[in-house]
Amino acid sequence: MGAGEGGLTVEAATSEPAVAPRRRRRLRLTTPALLGLPVSWLAVFFLAPIAIVAAYSVDVLVLFPGPHGFTLSAWRSLFSGSNPYLHLFAKSVEMSLIVSAVVVLVAYPLAYFLALSGTKRKYILLLVLIAPFLTSYLLRVLAWKVILGDQGVINSFLFWTGLRSPDHPLSFLLYSRFAVMLVLGYVWLPFVALPIFVTLETLDRGLLEAASDLYASRLQAFVRVTLPLSAPGLVAAFLFVFIPTVGEFITPSLVGGTGGYMYGNQIVDLFGTGFPDWETGSVLALFLLAVIAVLTLVFVRFLRAGEVQAA
Amino acid sequence: MDVALSPNGKRLMRVFFVLVIVFLYAPIAILLVFSFNSSAIPVFPLSGFTIRWYHDFLTNADIRAALETSAIIAVVSSIGAVALGILAAIGLTRRRFRGQLGATALLLSPLVIPLLVLGVSLALLFHELGMQRSIYTVMIGHIVITVPYTILVIRPRLGQIDASLGEAAYDLGAGPLTTFRRVTLPLILPAVVSAFMIAFTTSFDEYAVASFLVGPRQTFPVYLYAALRFPSQLPQVIAVAVVVLLGSLVVIVLAELWRRRAEARLEAPA
């Protein structure tokens, strides 16, 4: 360090006349210099691609060469009467609403226990709870495929123990809506505990003590104090599951069969190699994006409103 | 009196917690058991112990090539995402400008886009640009996905450290790059390493976007997905699954412990 300091003094002494350019160089990086690259990356590889999908959805761009021009026909047919794609969307929404609700209901007591029971090892237990989420998604789906199949762990265990004859396996276990919802719930459960834990953890315990001093029972304190205060975490948790699962296609294609076919699978198929229809596919993709964007905006508003109220 | 939980409630919740943990880890444990089972199909009763499947996957050229491709994509895209994330995080915490809210929203918006939609959109973009699908198109997609994570990890850390440290460096004549390298970077290093780990594991495991952008060189998830649909080599796949799964668990836990210690050390008075 001594040598470095020596160097610095010598430099400072000899570079007296060069102060002006040095000052210039000392100017801080400008905002465009910092944000230019990240923002343009997302403009080119995030916004522009979505614009191209929009162009395909109204036939301004087309897959097969030929005469074409702006038309809303694909959009109109999506919203006309009994479009099968809308039915499929409703089915996916229903499945992912159920999954999100169940998962949040299971995760809430876990987060409550970790945050409020006063256990000293809460962060380690939280890590144990969340760790499976940080491992490979496909491998966790694989595990369930091995477990649920006709020849799988559950059925072969039932045959082996004689609880069921090998001619009649429990075949609803795999390739069904049930399988899709079970696996989605399994995959997202660990993650959902996190936002709930964070809101409960920051909750002022003094409020609960105050409620208790005012003769509130634990249940009353929970319903009137804890639950309302943890609502933002609950809603966040719900959306954190709902948003990715409603457009899910990996799990349904691996364990869903025809019964578990979801909206996302339809989009993949429309862009697939069989009978590609990029126009309809683009409409479906943008519709999904729009629904999720609206949900996200409403949620952000809700959080803002909560902050204003708290302040 | 404990105001949050009665003693019985606490006991009940502890049991519930243990049950959920069992539910979460049992499938992983089952994979582990069957990876050592000598039968070629994973059924009960267990037929005997073998390490053959581990040996097989180590010598399986396809699996190794796929793991290698994923590792290359994950390293390059995480470096890219972390670099963009550092720039963006500094810009968002140390500067005030018009349109800041919009810039923040744009930079974080890939968090909520369905990956399926992003994959389709990028595939159409590259189609319009006439770009062949390759490991580079996958890298581009993975940088888009992981930039928001890196910003979310690095930005709070920048908020904790005193902005005047950087200004002191300027006053002492350091240029912006020197200030970054000698002052800012060492202070945010734990967060940068975490961001890198998160970006790396996300990219390494990413299937949805990669499935639309992958070229002739398969990534590991793309290989795995195909192997799951047509399970001819199931035990080998289970064996490699177990290795990757345990490997990622160990890395994640170690990285988190390291980050806590490093941040505690930086916080401690000298």
Side-chain angles (χ1 to χ4, degrees):
Chain A
M1 203 56 210
E5 275 165 23
L8 193 69
T9 19
V10 171
E11 201 190 344
T14 53
S15 65
E16 200 67 30
V19 158
R22 238 192 125 88
R23 281 255 171 241
R24 279 182 68 84
R25 228 188 41 191
R26 269 197 236 164
L27 281 176
R28 306 163 65 164
L29 281 175
T30 54
T31 307
L34 288 166
L35 285 170
L37 208 53
V39 166
S40 15
W41 186 274
L42 289 185
V44 174
F45 296 118
F46 183 71
L47 294 182
I50 294 171
I52 289 176
V53 175
Y56 270 95
S57 81
V58 293
D59 249 5
V60 170
L61 292 172
V62 288
L63 172 57
F64 302 111
H68 60 88
F70 179 86
T71 166
L72 286 174
S73 62
W75 281 101
R76 249 185 243 118
S77 82
L78 177 68
F79 295 110
S80 70
S82 57
N83 186 298
Y85 299 134
L86 270 193
H87 274 282
L88 195 57
F89 186 71
K91 174 187 167 190
S92 300
V93 167
E94 187 194 322
M95 286 168 72
S96 92
L97 278 179
I98 296 173
V99 169
S100 315
V102 170
V103 159
V104 168
L105 282 179
V106 172
Y108 193 93
L110 300 177
Y112 188 90
F113 170 68
L114 290 182
L116 295 175
S117 74
T119 165
K120 287 201 185 86
R121 294 163 298 171
K122 61 181 169 186
Y123 292 108
I124 292 178
L125 290 177
L126 186 69
L127 190 61
V128 170
L129 182 63
I130 291 173
F133 186 78
L134 306 172
T135 67
S136 167
Y137 179 100
L138 280 173
L139 300 180
R140 282 176 292 153
V141 180
L142 162 67
W144 282 103
K145 217 174 144 113
V146 168
I147 293 169
L148 297 175
D150 280 356
Q151 296 290 316
V153 171
I154 291 181
N155 274 315
S156 64
F157 183 79
L158 291 176
F159 307 153
W160 181 44
T161 51
L163 289 171
R164 221 174 159 86
S165 95
D167 303 331
H168 303 285
L170 293 173
S171 56
F172 70 90
L173 288 178
L174 193 58
Y175 303 123
S176 62
R177 260 175 85 133
F178 165 80
V180 174
M181 289 162 69
L182 174 71
V183 173
L184 287 178
Y186 173 80
V187 164
W188 288 98
L189 177 60
F191 179 67
V192 165
L194 193 59
I196 306 175
F197 175 82
V198 171
T199 50
L200 288 173
E201 156 97 308
T202 50
L203 184 133
D204 184 356
R205 278 183 78 94
L207 292 173
L208 289 181
E209 274 150 28
S212 152
D213 289 346
L214 296 169
Y215 300 108
S217 68
R218 284 196 192 88
L219 182 65
Q220 280 172 323
F222 174 74
V223 173
R224 307 273 299 265
V225 179
T226 314
L227 194 58
L229 284 176
S230 59
L234 266 180
V235 176
F238 189 87
L239 285 180
F240 283 172
V241 191
F242 183 79
I243 287 175
T245 51
V246 76
E248 179 60 78
F249 73 100
I250 304 169
T251 297
S253 76
L254 287 173
V255 302
T258 47
Y261 192 84
M262 288 176 79
Y263 186 76
N265 300 97
Q266 183 66 69
I267 295 178
V268 173
D269 287 350
L270 287 169
F271 284 100
T273 44
F275 298 95
D277 179 354
W278 288 11
E279 186 188 358
T280 310
S282 297
V283 168
L284 297 190
L286 281 184
F287 179 66
L288 176 66
L289 189 59
V291 169
I292 284 169
V294 168
L295 273 176
T296 309
L297 287 177
V298 168
F299 173 60
V300 171
R301 275 281 162 84
F302 167 77
L303 279 187
R304 284 269 160 76
E307 274 165 22
V308 171
Q309 220 169 33
Chain B
M1 172 182 112
D2 188 328
V3 287
L5 275 168
S6 66
N8 274 331
K10 204 180 269 188
R11 231 166 277 145
L12 201 69
M13 280 201 175
R14 192 170 296 140
V15 171
F16 184 60
F17 188 85
V18 170
L19 285 178
V20 171
I21 293 294
V22 169
F23 170 69
L24 290 177
Y25 283 84
I28 298 173
I30 284 172
L31 274 191
L32 188 65
V33 168
F34 279 105
S35 73
F36 291 109
N37 185 31
S38 59
S39 158
I41 41 171
V43 294
F44 276 111
L46 295 172
S47 50
F49 179 86
T50 179
I51 55 163
R52 189 181 135 207
W53 311 122
Y54 286 87
H55 181 256
D56 281 2
F57 101 69
L58 285 174
T59 54
N60 183 324
D62 288 348
I63 293 183
R64 284 176 56 172
L67 285 170
E68 195 183 297
T69 305
S70 275
I72 293 170
I73 290 173
V75 167
V76 175
S77 63
S78 322
I79 291 174
V82 167
L84 292 178
I86 292 174
L87 286 173
I90 294 178
L92 293 177
T93 41
R94 295 280 189 266
R95 304 283 184 273
R96 290 286 163 270
F97 58 95
R98 279 165 61 96
Q100 186 149 16
L101 207 63
T104 312
L106 172 65
L107 288 165
L108 297 182
S109 55
L111 282 178
V112 290
I113 191 178
L115 292 181
L116 159 65
V117 175
L118 181 63
V120 165
S121 312
L122 279 170
L124 294 192
L125 173 79
F126 294 133
H127 175 84
E128 290 304 312
L129 295 176
M131 255 173 93
Q132 290 290 328
R133 296 170 200 203
S134 65
I135 59 172
Y136 304 109
T137 50
V138 180
M139 286 172 191
I140 288 173
H142 283 181
I143 292 176
V144 173
I145 302 172
T146 49
V147 158
Y149 295 117
T150 63
I151 296 174
L152 285 180
V153 173
I154 296 170
R155 194 171 60 165
R157 182 64 196 155
L158 269 171
Q160 282 171 7
I161 65 174
D162 197 340
S164 60
L165 289 174
E167 275 152 24
Y170 287 121
D171 291 345
L172 293 171
L177 286 180
T178 314
T179 306
F180 174 73
R181 197 166 49 83
R182 302 284 295 272
V183 179
T184 316
L185 185 61
L187 285 169
I188 62 171
L189 194 62
V192 169
V193 173
S194 288
F196 182 88
M197 301 301 308
I198 292 172
F200 184 93
T201 45
T202 305
S203 165
F204 196 85
D205 187 39
E206 207 286 325
Y207 173 76
V209 168
S211 69
F212 290 99
L213 303 179
V214 76
R217 286 177 70 179
Q218 286 189 325
T219 66
F220 180 63
V222 170
Y223 172 86
L224 201 61
Y225 180 86
L228 289 187
R229 296 209 75 171
F230 309 104
S232 58
Q233 300 166 318
L234 200 52
Q236 274 185 56
V237 171
I238 294 176
V240 68
V242 166
V243 171
V244 171
L245 219 143
L246 295 181
S248 55
L249 265 182
V250 168
V251 168
I252 286 157
V253 171
L254 286 182
E256 178 61 21
L257 293 178
W258 177 83
R259 187 182 67 85
R260 290 217 176 150
R261 276 187 47 187
E263 283 190 355
R265 205 168 46 231
L266 286 171
E267 237 62 61

